Amino acid sequence: MSDIREAATTLHGQLQRGLGRAARRAADRPGAGEYVYDCVRRDPRWDARCDDRSLYYARLMVDLELPAGPLAEHLFDPADHADADEARVRLTLDVLADLVRLSRREAASPLRRYAEEGAHWFEALDTLVRLGDPRLTDGLETLVAARCDDDALADLFAGSGGPVAAAWAARSPRIAAALDRRRGRGRPVPPVAAARSRRDRTDDELLDIARRRDDGAIGAIFELGRRRAPVLLDLAEELLARPSRWGGAVARALWDYGPETLPRARDWAAERGGCRGVGLGLLARHGTREDIPLLMTHLEDALERRDWAASAAPIEGLGRLRAGEAVPLLKTAWSESSYSYLRPRVLTALTRTAPHTAEAFTAEGLWDCEEAVRAIAVQTAPLTDDTRVRLQRLQLDEAEDPGVRAASAARLV
């Protein structure tokens, strides 16, 4: 989609990025509620698979006393049945679910109605199942059994399906049968014989198998990685030249190597070939202070290009190496990045490289959209009147992650 994000210096832009500073400012800014609605309706996440937003926006709706009506209007807009992309409603459904978790029970009504009438009804059903309250789904089992084939039921009841699935199964034989099949699958039997066969082979034999690029290649690659065989570094230069599942397996297998990879990793990181990303990842994990200039160059380049994913490895490496010269770039990444999933890495790097400077960011992090940021912040934020009040709220918030709640309670002792 086109970039709908406003400048990071504006309240609207900060709300789009899920920054804690925006959550703190919103209560004092007339019109902030319209910005919140806009963020939910026009999902601003850089990567919806990773970036958290729903609880952040739901909390803002509670704090600003915003009604759920405009979200329902978005769900049932005439465009709903004309837009085949479920991304139009995914964030709205999740925000409604989090409003229910925050005791705004009226948000359940449009969520259930969309499951019955909406174009992307399966997404709403999935949201209701994950919400886990059978009182909100009573009577929907007939619709589920009528609309879902066996594969859809299996997807809907990933894991056990929870209390909603159990309640439906008690009234629907078809759903009960689907749950039984799901539970009966169990875990696949590990291919013990194949694993033993690979372990009996030499590095060169495994290298030959890996180069075939068939189903057996993956196992051979991981066995070479388990051995930390040097030949895997050569294979990486062959398989990472273009994206493939075998290249992905090599990248994962190399993740467990140690400092012995540094000479090759430095060469890869300095190039622009397919091994560049793996090289940066290895430098982030194992590099020395000698590698700070190269990591700085990559971070500067990634930030200039707004390539937030490419920023992750340099940030991790510079933080691990406690590179004080990186602090201005880290502050820029925190404020500017549209990729909120990046911020836990930024906050970790700041706390390692500049603990005093990091205090303002850890305090802000208590209001951040990312659970991982809040997890760091509750353990490291300075204790002031404001942060104590926030820690108390996080401790008591049933919608918050249990680990964050427990850490908040520990800080307040």
Side-chain angles (χ1 to χ4, degrees), residues 11 14-15 18-28 56 60 63-64 364 367-368 390:
L11 176 61
Q14 291 168 5
L15 287 168
L19 285 161
R21 65 190 65 173
R24 301 183 74 175
R25 291 175 58 195
D28 301 323
Y56 176 82
L60 280 163
D63 293 345
L64 300 176
E364 178 187 352
W367 283 262
D368 198 85
R390 184 61 178 176

Side-chain angles (χ1 to χ4, degrees), residues 22-334:
R24 301 183 74 175
R25 291 175 58 195
D28 301 323
R29 288 289 299 275
E34 286 305 314
Y35 292 153
V36 174
Y37 285 136
D38 179 76
C39 289
V40 179
R41 288 188 293 244
R42 298 196 302 157
D43 188 349
R45 290 175 292 182
W46 193 76
D47 187 342
R49 299 168 300 174
C50 303
D51 290 351
D52 291 340
R53 283 296 189 286
S54 62
L55 182 57
Y56 176 82
Y57 293 138
R59 282 173 168 159
L60 280 163
M61 290 185 67
V62 171
D63 293 345
L64 300 176
E65 299 181 351
L66 301 176
L71 300 190
E73 292 171 6
H74 174 66
L75 289 180
F76 297 103
D77 187 277
D80 183 52
H81 285 274
D83 192 340
D85 188 356
E86 59 88 17
R88 194 189 78 84
V89 298
R90 178 75 268 175
L91 182 57
T92 304
L93 296 172
D94 288 341
V95 170
L96 288 169
D98 278 324
L99 282 171
V100 175
R101 293 186 180 97
L102 293 169
S103 299
R104 289 277 296 270
R105 303 291 289 183
E106 76 277 11
S109 178
L111 188 56
R112 178 181 171 119
R113 182 186 160 206
Y114 192 81
E116 296 171 327
E117 303 174 15
H120 304 288
W121 54 268
F122 186 86
E123 302 302 325
L125 286 175
D126 178 61
T127 302
L128 287 165
V129 169
R130 288 186 287 111
L131 196 52
D133 187 345
R135 293 171 296 178
L136 306 179
T137 57
D138 186 37
L140 286 179
E141 65 276 357
T142 302
L143 177 149
V144 171
R147 290 184 180 177
C148 296
D149 60 20
D150 290 346
D151 289 339
L153 286 175
D155 290 340
L156 192 60
F157 304 141
S160 65
V164 170
W168 285 343
R171 296 186 293 269
S172 169
R174 182 159 181 265
I175 292 176
L179 274 181
D180 287 342
R181 287 194 300 272
R182 182 79 187 179
R183 292 165 180 160
R185 287 177 183 174
R187 295 183 177 180
V189 178
V192 176
R196 287 176 178 167
S197 174
R198 288 193 294 269
R199 292 185 180 185
D200 291 339
R201 295 181 182 273
T202 66
D203 289 358
D204 287 341
E205 289 173 331
L206 290 169
L207 185 61
D208 287 340
I209 295 171
R211 282 177 169 149
R212 296 173 192 168
R213 306 188 189 194
D214 56 18
D215 290 341
I218 302 295
I221 288 167
F222 283 124
E223 176 59 22
L224 288 169
R226 187 189 69 80
R227 299 179 186 183
R228 295 189 177 185
V231 294
L232 191 60
L233 298 171
D234 299 323
L235 185 64
E237 295 182 345
E238 298 176 26
L239 297 185
L240 290 171
R242 59 184 60 87
S244 71
R245 66 188 183 111
W246 299 284
V250 169
R252 175 62 189 86
L254 286 173
W255 203 242
D256 295 325
Y257 280 51
E260 70 272 15
T261 61
L262 284 177
R264 195 77 66 99
R266 287 168 180 143
D267 290 340
W268 291 344
E271 298 170 353
R272 293 194 174 272
C275 294
R276 188 186 193 193
V278 174
L280 281 170
L282 291 170
L283 291 185
R285 288 172 68 87
H286 307 296
T288 67
R289 296 196 65 82
E290 169 189 343
D291 300 302
I292 289 175
L294 182 57
L295 292 169
M296 287 284 292
T297 297
H298 278 287
L299 181 55
E300 289 170 349
D301 177 65
L303 294 179
E304 184 177 346
R305 292 184 289 109
R306 295 296 192 259
D307 187 345
W308 308 118
S311 305
I315 286 171
E316 290 177 352
L318 292 164
R320 184 181 64 81
L321 294 168
R322 292 176 167 81
E325 56 266 55
V327 169
L329 294 178
L330 296 174
K331 292 165 71 174
T332 297
W334 174 275

Side-chain angles (χ1 to χ4, degrees), residues 1-5 42-44:
M1 69 178 182
S2 59
D3 193 348
I4 59 171
R5 300 174 195 90
R42 298 196 302 157
D43 188 349

